[in-house]
Amino acid sequence: MLILGDLATPNNELSDIVSKALKEAEFINNQSVVFNLEGMLADDYNLNDSSPVLFNHSSVKEVFEDFEEKIAAIANNHTLDLPHKLEDTKKILKQNGFLTVGAGSKSDLDFEVISFEEQGKTIYLFNACWDFLLYHQNSKNDNLTVNIINEQKLLERLKSIKKNDEDAIVVFYFHWSFDLEILPFPSYREFSKALIDNGASLVIGGHSHCVQGGERYKEGYIVYGLGNFFIPSGVYANGKLNFPKMSFLGLVLEWDIYNNRLFCNWFEYEKKDNHHSLSFIGRDDFDESVKLLQRSPYRKLNEENYIKYFKRNRRKKLLIPVFKNFDVSIENKLKMYLLKKRALIARKMAVLGILKWQN
């Protein structure tokens, strides 16, 4: 199984760049591939629109034409940028042999999890988005919705699956964290370990647009942030959506399910004179990867010490609370309320040109 990070290609030329990079890596094609589709299919959307809308050209589906099982994870903060495109996107992808997971109609909640076969095993894949990332969107009143991370609900679903099929392989793919944050919230570490304690094999995160590192826990693997796989800088939102160099390194995981071995495949994005490129730069074992270890300074820290480390070393600090655990407490609800208010103010300032757009 391959697991990619955030992907957005607004035209055929950029889709070709991604296709060539995957071919360069020489992946085995008779395996599944999972990726975060950052925005719906919309060939008619204008890149000159100054709003921070992400979308994909329909040619993105050809990027994965050589792979056996193709899964588009769509529980992210850009799925409802163009809500009228959601059902069409799912329909087009289905017609082209893709599965989708993470968003859909409220009358059909089967999109929260999908199952498929690989290497003789049944894989259950959950996809969900951090509630905060949808702060500016009408995700609760319309018929269409994005699956939200509900920790207790997900733990109960996991327990139910493992009770009915103890050999089932369960994977969680989350869209969470702040953009350009280099460290996972303490609550993410606690929740990820709780999932593995209850039978999950793999917990993966995205959205931070930079690699956040990962760690082994018991027999499971956790990677908190894959970074961008490919989102071209200076293209979307009339060229205003740019990424720093820290976002140019992307991680693609390759999981040998039968032997439970995880490998890191590294890709590097580059933009020069308005030309974009994506190159495969190497592959290493999860446990021996220097690049991953450099981005995982928390591996030997317990929960208490990590909270202290996170407070000192996180990038996003101004008026941003620390989520220490995933309890549904009054304290955490208050933190979320204040965080959303802060984000709405920042968004208004971006509209006025006072701040840069955040993704």
Side-chain angles (χ1 to χ4, degrees):
M1 174 189 286
L2 290 179
I3 305 116
L4 285 63
D6 303 333
L7 174 63
T9 65
N11 57 47
N12 187 70
E13 179 183 355
L14 293 173
S15 294
D16 285 344
I17 290 173
V18 180
S19 294
K20 291 176 182 176
L22 284 174
K23 287 180 171 62
E24 183 184 359
E26 298 182 339
F27 290 122
I28 298 171
N29 294 331
N30 63 342
Q31 62 180 321
S32 58
V33 57
V34 182
F35 60 98
N36 177 60
L37 187 70
E38 193 87 7
M40 298 298 91
L41 302 183
D43 291 3
D44 56 349
Y45 196 82
N46 190 346
L47 279 169
N48 295 326
D49 190 320
S50 60
S51 301
V53 171
L54 290 191
F55 63 93
N56 277 271
H57 189 265
S58 59
S59 59
V60 71
K61 63 184 185 293
E62 298 166 11
V63 168
F64 304 103
E65 59 185 356
D66 294 333
F67 291 92
E68 187 166 300
E69 192 76 79
K70 305 174 281 281
I71 301 107
I74 54 176
N76 63 64
N77 55 309
H78 288 288
T79 291
L80 296 179
D81 282 354
L82 302 171
H84 59 289
K85 295 288 187 180
L86 175 53
E87 289 301 319
D88 285 345
T89 295
K90 294 181 68 172
K91 181 179 179 181
I92 292 169
L93 290 175
K94 183 177 180 180
Q95 290 172 344
N96 286 272
F98 287 75
L99 297 173
T100 57
V101 61
S105 169
K106 288 184 178 180
S107 62
D108 178 17
L109 294 180
D110 289 341
F111 59 74
E112 295 178 353
V113 60
I114 58 170
S115 63
F116 55 94
E117 300 293 320
E118 181 158 339
Q119 292 184 254
K121 296 182 180 292
T122 302
I123 313 297
Y124 290 84
L125 174 67
F126 285 85
N127 181 221
C129 181
W130 184 29
D131 183 26
F132 165 74
L133 298 178
L134 303 170
Y135 70 91
H136 63 290
Q137 296 175 330
N138 187 12
S139 61
K140 296 183 178 179
N141 297 321
D142 294 336
N143 182 48
L144 302 176
T145 186
V146 169
N147 192 30
I148 299 301
I149 297 173
N150 182 320
E151 291 88 350
Q152 295 302 328
K153 178 181 176 182
L154 289 171
L155 284 168
E156 290 304 314
R157 291 290 301 274
L158 171 60
K159 292 175 184 176
S160 176
I161 288 173
K162 296 297 288 188
K163 181 179 180 180
N164 293 327
D165 181 4
E166 63 180 16
D167 294 325
I169 304 296
V170 186
V171 177
F172 290 86
Y173 190 4
F174 294 128
H175 205 74
W176 59 13
S177 194
F178 293 120
D179 58 295
L180 306 182
E181 178 54 72
I182 59 175
L183 294 172
F185 288 159
S187 60
Y188 292 171
R189 288 190 80 209
E190 182 187 66
F191 179 47
S192 297
K193 291 178 180 180
L195 289 170
I196 291 175
D197 282 335
N198 285 279
S201 297
L202 199 62
V203 181
I204 306 298
H207 176 73
S208 60
H209 305 296
C210 60
V211 179
Q212 286 190 336
E215 56 190 327
R216 260 186 187 263
Y217 177 65
K218 296 183 177 178
E219 296 301 314
Y221 294 95
I222 306 167
V223 179
Y224 298 100
L226 294 174
N228 289 346
F229 180 57
F230 184 80
I231 303 180
S233 188
V235 172
Y236 287 98
N238 199 23
K240 294 180 180 179
L241 187 57
N242 289 281
F243 293 100
K245 191 171 180 59
M246 65 183 292
S247 298
F248 291 2
L249 181 70
L251 172 59
V252 172
L253 298 176
E254 188 169 14
W255 188 30
D256 177 352
I257 297 170
Y258 188 80
N259 295 299
N260 193 28
R261 288 193 67 188
L262 193 63
F263 299 91
C264 299
N265 295 273
W266 300 97
F267 289 77
E268 189 168 47
Y269 166 80
E270 186 177 6
K271 179 184 178 183
K272 189 174 182 180
D273 299 328
N274 289 322
H275 293 287
H276 307 268
S277 66
L278 183 66
S279 303
F280 172 67
I281 59 173
R283 180 177 187 263
D284 47 29
D285 187 277
F286 179 92
D287 294 318
E288 300 172 359
S289 175
V290 175
K291 286 187 176 65
L292 192 67
L293 183 60
Q294 289 172 340
R295 292 162 176 80
S296 314
Y298 41 76
R299 284 188 177 183
K300 295 182 179 180
L301 297 179
N302 62 25
E303 284 75 9
E304 182 180 353
N305 288 333
Y306 179 64
I307 290 172
K308 296 176 183 177
Y309 180 88
F310 179 79
K311 288 179 177 179
R312 291 194 306 266
N313 295 281
R314 60 182 173 145
R315 293 188 76 244
K316 301 295 183 80
K317 296 181 179 180
L318 182 62
L319 300 178
I320 293 180
V322 175
F323 291 89
K324 300 177 183 179
N325 54 57
F326 64 90
D327 292 343
V328 184
S329 62
I330 294 176
E331 178 184 354
N332 279 346
K333 288 181 179 179
L334 179 60
K335 287 179 179 180
M336 180 63 73
Y337 173 80
L338 295 174
L339 192 59
K340 288 182 178 181
K341 290 297 183 182
R342 176 191 180 279
L344 286 169
I345 294 171
R347 188 174 181 85
K348 289 179 180 179
M349 294 177 72
V351 171
L352 296 172
I354 300 172
L355 294 177
K356 292 182 179 180
W357 280 116
Q358 300 294 306
N359 187 35

